[in-house]
Amino acid sequence: MNPTLEPTRSASALRHSPLVFAGSDPFAADEVRRTLQARTGDPDLACRVIRALEPGERAVVSAAFRADGPVVAHLVTPRALGRAEPSPVEVRVHDVVPEPDRSAYVDLVATALDRIEGADVAKVVRGRCLEGHSSPALSPAEVTATLLDRRPGRYVFSLPLDDRPEAPWLVGASPELLVRRRGVEIASTPLAGSVPRSPDPDEDSRRAAALADSAKDLAEHAFVVDHIAAALGPACEWLEVPAAPEVLATDSMWHLASPIRGRLRAPEDLTAPDLAQLLPPPPAVGGVPTPEATDLIDELEGPGLRGPFGGFVGWMDGDGDGELAVTIRAGVLDGERLRLFAGAGIVAGSDPLAEADETAAKLSTMTRAGGL
């Protein structure tokens, strides 16, 4: 990685798929003019991207979970995103391997609970991966078209993770807004506290109501909201935080959600990526307290499991405005391999078996999109 954020290539037309970010202002791009790379902790990241942007361009950005992880920024001219047409069904052979398997994951959640009871960590998000091998290989365009057609999460994205023609692609449909900046106005909608949905309508409604009254899930949610309010509050003239969360539905999950809104004191000092860098890793994907939770994640998962998962993905423009989602319900597509990640927030009172069910439900968003 190049920490000075110099261009690594003057790129041309994308070979495998249009680059896509479909949020509140959906767009696509068929060509990348330049690709810049850096590290998440670079304090001058946004300024350097803005200097490199030409009029009318946007930078589509992906940043890793870890504070020293890679950042990639593709400079593109956006176009309107047309209606998605799912690709014709192609017969494929799939081989799917969990990492770790369900039994091992349950044991690791129990270990995390022991550490929480020892009082050094209040919450930790324990993740697991699913790796699918497909023959013939899936394409980013196929997966993205399926996600745009089904829209399992509000923020659909598809972009290469570096500047090489054979680069892996990050694809997904996140339900979670990390931060959006439009002039002086900012917004964030953290999700924490979840339960899998049911195909039975009555049971599905019962689960949503139970989630809204769950002391364990409300406590988990409060950790996240307090963290975001403490990080963004000093930068704002005012910050509006809901007194209680609402219940938000995705294709596979019910989530507790708190739409947070604010007005910046000095918008010229804080771009959308600057605001995002005040937050990572948020407790929704890391834990509380952040340093201790991150150390425990490294101990239980290993430092290489997450990669871009749990970071942020989105766009910014030359004015510093932008919209960045948390990189969840996502996969990395690399040739015949599609690697997926999901995590569950572990707090006192968590049930290891229920957390395993939760991660399986979260993974199902992308297993369906990839036909796995």
Side-chain angles (χ1 to χ4, degrees):
M1 288 298 170
N2 189 335
T4 62
L5 238 160
E6 290 300 316
T8 56
R9 184 188 301 270
S10 294
S12 57
L14 294 161
R15 288 173 46 189
H16 300 294
S17 170
L19 183 152
V20 169
F21 189 82
S24 61
D25 181 17
F27 66 92
D30 301 306
E31 182 175 289
V32 174
R33 182 175 64 82
R34 292 170 69 184
T35 296
L36 312 176
Q37 298 185 72
R39 292 284 169 180
T40 305
D42 183 350
D44 298 323
L45 170 64
C47 289
R48 291 171 178 161
V49 171
I50 286 173
R51 285 199 297 267
L53 285 168
E54 293 185 352
E57 287 188 333
R58 289 180 176 179
V60 180
V61 181
S62 170
F65 166 79
R66 299 186 61 84
D68 60 348
V71 176
V72 61
H74 300 294
L75 310 188
V76 304
T77 299
R79 63 166 172 83
L81 181 62
R83 185 180 182 277
E85 296 291 343
S87 302
V89 175
E90 182 174 359
V91 177
R92 286 186 168 88
V93 176
H94 301 288
D95 180 29
V96 182
V97 179
E99 180 189 343
D101 64 22
R102 178 182 172 85
S103 176
Y105 181 79
V106 167
D107 290 342
L108 288 168
V109 172
T111 299
L113 281 168
D114 289 342
R115 295 292 293 273
I116 288 170
E117 291 175 2
D120 57 342
V121 176
K123 173 189 174 179
V124 65
V125 175
R126 180 64 184 95
R128 63 173 175 145
C129 284
L130 201 65
E131 189 161 301
H133 292 259
S134 301
S135 181
L138 290 161
S139 74
E142 288 178 272
V143 179
T144 306
T146 300
L147 292 171
L148 288 168
D149 179 59
R150 298 178 181 176
R151 209 57 182 262
R154 179 176 173 83
Y155 305 97
V156 174
F157 49 88
S158 177
L159 67 156
L161 285 172
D162 61 50
D163 65 317
R164 296 170 298 141
E166 69 277 13
W169 280 66
L170 179 66
V171 292
S174 175
E176 184 168 4
L177 174 65
L178 180 63
V179 68
R180 178 173 57 241
R181 198 201 90 160
R182 290 176 177 163
V184 298
E185 307 295 329
I186 65 168
S188 178
T189 306
L191 309 182
S194 308
V195 66
R197 299 194 64 180
S198 170
D200 177 78
D202 291 338
E203 172 62 14
D204 197 42
S205 296
R206 188 200 67 77
R207 291 183 184 184
L211 177 64
D213 290 333
S214 167
K216 174 261 182 188
D217 290 290
L218 289 168
E220 179 184 342
H221 189 79
F223 285 137
V224 179
V225 172
D226 291 348
H227 171 89
I228 290 176
L232 296 180
C236 293
E237 291 179 359
W238 54 265
L239 191 71
E240 183 180 274
V241 181
E246 59 189 51
V247 179
L248 179 145
T250 70
D251 64 321
S252 61
M253 302 294 298
W254 288 107
H255 294 285
L256 295 178
S258 286
I260 297 171
R261 302 290 182 267
R263 183 180 179 89
L264 291 172
R265 296 181 190 279
E268 67 277 9
D269 295 336
L270 289 170
T271 67
D274 291 330
L275 292 164
Q277 288 186 312
L278 296 176
L279 301 173
V285 293
V288 178
T290 297
E292 289 82 354
T294 303
D295 289 344
L296 183 56
I297 287 169
D298 286 347
E299 177 186 329
L300 296 178
E301 294 181 0
L305 183 72
R306 298 197 179 198
F309 304 125
F312 61 81
V313 59
W315 64 270
M316 68 171 292
D317 64 17
D319 295 324
D321 288 340
E323 186 170 58
L324 302 165
V326 182
T327 311
I328 55 176
R329 311 296 193 276
V332 172
L333 187 56
D334 189 0
E336 294 188 347
R337 185 178 75 163
L338 177 62
R339 185 172 178 83
L340 311 178
F341 175 88
I346 313 303
V347 298
S350 291
D351 176 357
L353 292 174
E355 304 300 346
D357 290 341
E358 179 178 322
T359 55
K362 291 174 176 176
L363 287 165
S364 71
T365 294
M366 290 300 296
T367 58
R368 285 195 290 265
L372 303 182

